[in-house]
Amino acid sequence: MSGILVVAEARRGELRDVSLELIGAARTVKDAAGGRLAVAVVAADPGEHAQALALDGVDEVLTVTSPAPHFEAHVAQRALEALVESERPALVLAGHTIDSLGFAPAVAVSADLGFASDVVALGWEDGPTASRGAYGDKLVAELDFPGHETTLLMVRAGAFEPATGAGEAPVRAVEVALDDAVATDHVEFREAAAGDVDITKADFLLSIGRGIEDKDNIPQFEELAHKLGATLSVSRPLVDAGWMSNARQVGQSGKTVKPKVYLALGISGAVQHLAGMQKADTIIAVNSDPEAPIFSVAHYGVVGDLFEVAEALETHFD
Ligand SMILES: Cc1cc2nc3c(=O)[nH]c(=O)nc-3n(C[C@H](O)[C@H](O)[C@H](O)COP(=O)(O)OP(=O)(O)OC[C@H]3O[C@@H](n4cnc5c(N)ncnc54)[C@H](O)[C@@H]3O)c2cc1C
């Protein structure tokens, strides 16, 4: 067993961002793994994604044609089982995503693979190692997988930089008998209510926490975000209170974001919040408590009253 197999994801004819992040993750351990890096895509028309996946560092793109026009977990499972058997990789990387959750753990069980989900860091020491949160992300668990020739890791979206740079990987069509694998009828595709916004795409997030005290204060920060050209995001208590939609929640049970600027007002910096934003390019925190943990990740900090800072910003950008 050697080398890495990345399981790319496509949905409704479009490659999903996590695919390139998985290639980026694979490249961090490729040399240590000492083998080749293959990227597999299972789709009704997998060839349409081949070029986008043939990135620098990729040695081969494997295409598997699905008989189902839409994502079908049973098809993906059968295809991945066949690929693990034919390619014999030491490491398989899939996204920790809704689609992959439908088949990757099942493959790990049926093929008796080492396995971890929601992985946020990778290493290699005589085999793959992985880090993931434990006890609600209060601890970081460091895992290795002794006794397994192949390990499958599901990697959290946003945890790795997406791979860039075109390569020249050849494309190989892999034949897998999948016609009888389709076990569900696709009725219709409904996009999950994404709310009014995708905070993962914003360059500048103005993020507010319980420090804003009251629901009635929210319009003030919506207005401020508008003035600053920022997108408003929030910590979880504001979602739990029903003040804001969960589409705007940053953190472990919300979205992982990596904006150029993350301006946090009245957010303490609990580990579950930091898990979603600590990779932002520049973090600016405003908190009245000098001991607030948010300051441990902030590049710039203001110990002071968030309403005073908000007012000063509003006046400045009027
Ligand atoms: C399994 C699990 C998953 C979770 N997932 C998430 C998640 O995805 N995202 C998330 O955010 N949380 C999550 N949490 C909750 C998390 O543990 C914290 O409770 C939450 O992040 C706290 O939000 P906060 O910082 O807004 O509130 P608080 O911790 O109450 O902090 C409020 C801060 O505002 C400051 N403050 C108050 N008034 C002012 C003022 N006038 N000016 C300046 N500063 C002021 C205070 O000093 C304080 O630091 C999760 C928890 C669990 C157990």
Side-chain angles (χ1 to χ4, degrees):
M1 302 284 179
S2 69
I4 304 172
L5 175 68
V6 162
V7 184
E9 282 191 25
R11 184 183 284 172
R12 307 180 89 205
E14 274 188 30
L15 209 54
R16 307 197 73 206
D17 293 349
V18 71
S19 307
L20 306 191
E21 294 168 15
L22 291 172
I23 297 172
R27 290 202 309 211
T28 66
V29 290
K30 184 185 171 192
D31 287 347
R36 62 192 198 111
L37 166 54
V39 180
V41 57
V42 182
D45 183 8
E48 67 179 337
H49 307 298
Q51 199 185 346
L53 293 170
L55 293 171
D56 197 22
V58 175
D59 296 302
E60 196 174 22
V61 177
L62 308 176
T63 58
V64 179
T65 302
S66 168
H70 304 278
F71 169 75
E72 221 284 357
H74 303 84
V75 167
Q77 179 179 341
R78 173 95 60 93
L80 183 54
E81 284 165 351
L83 287 167
V84 168
E85 203 174 310
S86 64
E87 307 307 311
R88 302 174 67 77
L91 175 62
V92 180
L93 296 180
H96 185 75
T97 60
I98 291 292
D99 284 2
S100 290
L101 282 165
F103 66 91
V107 175
V109 172
S110 67
D112 191 23
L113 312 181
F115 177 76
S117 59
D118 205 13
V119 166
V120 294
L122 287 179
W124 198 274
E125 283 170 34
D126 295 330
T129 61
S131 305
R132 57 156 295 157
Y135 299 104
D137 268 359
K138 287 197 165 45
L139 297 177
V140 177
E142 307 281 350
L143 308 170
D144 59 5
F145 307 90
H148 290 285
E149 294 189 326
T150 300
T151 294
L152 191 162
L153 301 177
M154 300 184 70
V155 176
R156 184 188 289 187
F160 286 87
E161 291 291 336
T164 53
E168 291 172 355
V171 181
R172 173 161 56 104
V174 179
E175 297 295 328
V176 184
L178 293 170
D179 282 343
D180 62 342
V182 181
T184 54
D185 285 330
H186 180 89
V187 179
E188 67 174 311
F189 181 87
R190 279 197 211 161
E191 197 70 66
D196 46 345
V197 73
D198 182 357
I199 60 170
T200 65
K201 299 274 190 287
D203 277 342
F204 181 6
L205 284 174
L206 170 62
S207 207
I208 52 176
R210 191 146 45 191
I212 66 144
E213 290 172 7
D214 199 292
K215 185 181 184 190
D216 292 345
N217 290 329
I218 287 177
Q220 172 187 349
F221 296 96
E222 286 174 334
E223 206 171 300
L224 178 61
H226 182 68
K227 262 190 197 161
L228 298 177
T231 302
L232 194 67
S233 57
V234 299
S235 65
R236 179 164 155 173
L238 278 66
V239 175
D240 288 347
W243 297 355
M244 295 293 282
S245 118
N246 64 1
R248 291 185 189 257
Q249 182 186 321
V250 173
Q252 181 195 326
S253 50
K255 299 269 166 55
T256 301
V257 297
K258 197 180 173 305
K260 291 197 170 77
V261 177
Y262 190 85
L263 172 55
L265 302 183
I267 293 178
S268 59
V271 281
Q272 296 89 354
H273 189 83
L274 301 186
M277 47 62 76
Q278 60 194 349
K279 291 198 174 158
D281 292 351
T282 302
I283 298 170
I284 307 165
V286 181
N287 198 301
S288 50
D289 175 5
E291 303 296 326
I294 189 87
F295 290 127
S296 68
V297 298
H299 302 95
Y300 301 96
V302 177
V303 177
D305 183 69
L306 70 90
F307 294 99
E308 280 178 26
V309 173
E311 208 178 301
L313 284 171
E314 247 165 61
T315 315
H316 186 80
F317 286 91
D318 248 346

